[in-house]
Amino acid sequence: MPRRPLLEFEKPLVELEQQIEQIRQLARDSEVDVSQQLHQLESLAARRRQEIFQGLTPAQKIQVARHPNRPSTLDFIQMFCDDWIELHGDRRGNDDQALVGGVGRLGDQAVLLIGHQKGRDTKENVARNFGMATPGGYRKAMRLMEHADRFRLPILSFIDTPGAYAGLQAEEQGQGEAIAVNLREMFRLRVPVIATVIGEGGSGGALGIGVADRLLMFEHSVYTVASPEACASILWRDAAKAPDAAAALRITGGDLLELGVVDEVLEEPSGGNNWAPLEAGQTLRAALERHLNALLALSDHDLREARYRKFRAMGQFVEGNSQNSGESA
């Protein structure tokens, strides 16, 4: 059996993974030296995996971004911070588990960390609402960011959500207003803000914690104004055309770097972050420290100017996507 869940386009690796597992089992059950055969098969699997992941389509990148074993916000925080303390509640009676936040240290620098949090299995995903935050989640995030601004703590934001929760109760509680307030208030923050798309960055749910001086993105993550499935259903009334919508939306790291929406695309281990989460954590930490050191040297005015330019680029991206989708229709 494969050691990890394999995606549809990884199926050519199934036989190799099964052989590797069988040889490992043989080594455990006997004293036969199979190290050479094991090394050869693992090298072959690594080469094939690299070939597959170098040519992923936008639709396939979405599958990687949604992989259940992909490192989450709390996974990365635990890699970075030995002294992480989670803070709870929006001070209005809610504590949304789909959006987490707290204080910790990145090296010697005290920081505030916030991010969307998905679950590993069905039970945990239900508890975390599949990473889709309610208005209380965005109000909690804003409360924590105001705390960071008051005590001059840089903010590290981790984006991983299909979108803000669109249920009836969320709408009744002011979902649009909560996100809009965050967009407005994040512009005035006097501290550096670095946002990273670690998985799926969907619509206003991502923007609610995504107004930043630096926007980073893992190479197999996606950042989109609407999910390809929703876009295909709206434009063509056929969700099966989601791969076509994914290509038209230009949601991959390479496209967004070219458009000026993101500042850096972070390389992932062969097979994606789910194959080597610790390596992914080292890559992310190094990038965060590098960008944070650069931002800490800027004045408050320069920080706000950079934030405005970044959000204007996002606005142009959204407008361009709308035009491109209309032309495709």
Side-chain angles (χ1 to χ4, degrees), residues 10-63:
E10 294 180 285
K11 291 300 174 65
L13 295 170
V14 169
E15 185 177 347
L16 274 175
E17 292 291 334
Q18 290 175 337
Q19 291 179 25
I20 290 171
E21 187 58 33
Q22 289 170 359
I23 292 175
R24 282 207 177 98
Q25 188 62 45
L26 176 64
R28 287 192 290 265
D29 296 341
S30 67
E31 297 182 356
V32 178
D33 183 9
V34 294
S35 57
Q36 184 175 356
Q37 295 136 304
L38 190 61
H39 176 71
Q40 290 175 343
L41 284 174
E42 287 179 336
S43 298
L44 178 59
R47 287 197 302 272
R48 289 189 179 175
R49 192 178 304 113
Q50 186 174 16
E51 291 170 359
I52 290 171
F53 276 78
Q54 283 178 341
L56 294 182
T57 66
Q60 290 170 336
K61 284 183 179 287
I62 293 174
Q63 295 180 51

Side-chain angles (χ1 to χ4, degrees), residues 198-214:
I198 61 174
E200 185 179 11
S203 192
L207 288 179
I209 58 170
V211 179
D213 307 298
R214 295 286 190 277

Side-chain angles (χ1 to χ4, degrees), residues 51-314:
E51 291 170 359
I52 290 171
F53 276 78
Q54 283 178 341
L56 294 182
T57 66
Q60 290 170 336
K61 284 183 179 287
I62 293 174
Q63 295 180 51
V64 180
R66 294 172 177 171
H67 196 286
N69 289 352
R70 194 169 176 86
S72 68
T73 293
L74 289 177
D75 291 330
F76 282 123
I77 288 175
Q78 289 166 4
M79 295 179 203
F80 301 157
C81 305
D82 295 329
D83 53 355
W84 154 255
I85 300 174
E86 185 173 355
L87 302 176
H88 295 274
D90 66 350
R91 298 299 184 265
R92 301 185 186 183
N94 295 300
D95 184 25
D96 191 347
Q97 297 300 303
L99 207 154
V100 298
V103 293
R105 287 188 178 276
L106 182 66
D108 295 328
Q109 175 65 52
V111 294
L112 180 113
L113 307 103
I114 56 174
H116 302 99
Q117 181 63 34
K118 296 179 179 178
R120 285 277 181 254
D121 53 31
T122 302
K123 182 178 179 180
E124 190 178 350
N125 263 319
V126 170
R128 299 283 185 183
N129 201 28
F130 297 86
M132 296 183 293
T134 62
Y138 290 104
R139 289 171 182 141
K140 175 170 72 172
M142 195 66 247
R143 179 182 76 82
L144 297 182
M145 287 187 282
E146 288 173 345
H147 175 87
D149 192 60
R150 186 178 306 116
F151 292 99
R152 306 297 289 190
L153 301 176
I155 298 169
L156 305 181
S157 169
F158 304 97
I159 296 170
D160 186 17
T161 181
Y165 183 55
L168 176 61
Q169 186 176 20
E171 295 301 323
E172 290 175 342
Q173 293 174 354
Q175 183 69 283
E177 181 267 350
I179 293 174
V181 167
N182 281 23
L183 298 183
R184 182 190 68 199
E185 295 301 307
M186 288 185 76
F187 273 112
R188 68 167 181 80
L189 295 174
R190 299 167 298 167
V191 295
V193 183
I194 302 176
T196 306
V197 184
I198 61 174
E200 185 179 11
S203 192
L207 288 179
I209 58 170
V211 179
D213 307 298
R214 295 286 190 277
L215 179 60
L216 315 181
M217 184 175 178
F218 275 109
E219 66 173 311
H220 299 317
S221 294
V222 295
Y223 199 29
T224 174
V225 298
S227 72
E229 294 86 353
C231 180
S233 297
I234 293 169
L235 293 180
W236 301 299
R237 302 184 184 279
D238 184 1
K241 291 189 176 181
D244 296 331
L249 286 169
R250 303 191 70 182
I251 60 179
T252 65
D255 286 333
L256 296 173
L257 184 65
E258 181 182 344
L259 292 168
V261 175
V262 301
D263 296 287
E264 183 177 357
V265 176
L266 307 180
E267 185 177 352
E268 297 192 22
S270 177
N273 287 348
N274 55 290
W275 283 89
L278 293 180
E279 183 179 339
Q282 293 171 355
T283 299
L284 179 54
R285 175 170 185 162
L288 290 174
E289 289 179 336
R290 185 173 67 254
H291 285 282
L292 185 56
N293 289 335
L295 290 172
L296 287 171
L298 298 178
S299 67
D300 292 352
H301 174 75
D302 290 339
L303 279 174
R304 283 192 289 267
E305 284 294 313
R307 201 167 295 151
Y308 172 75
R309 289 194 298 270
K310 177 59 59 184
F311 202 70
R312 186 171 58 182
M314 288 184 184

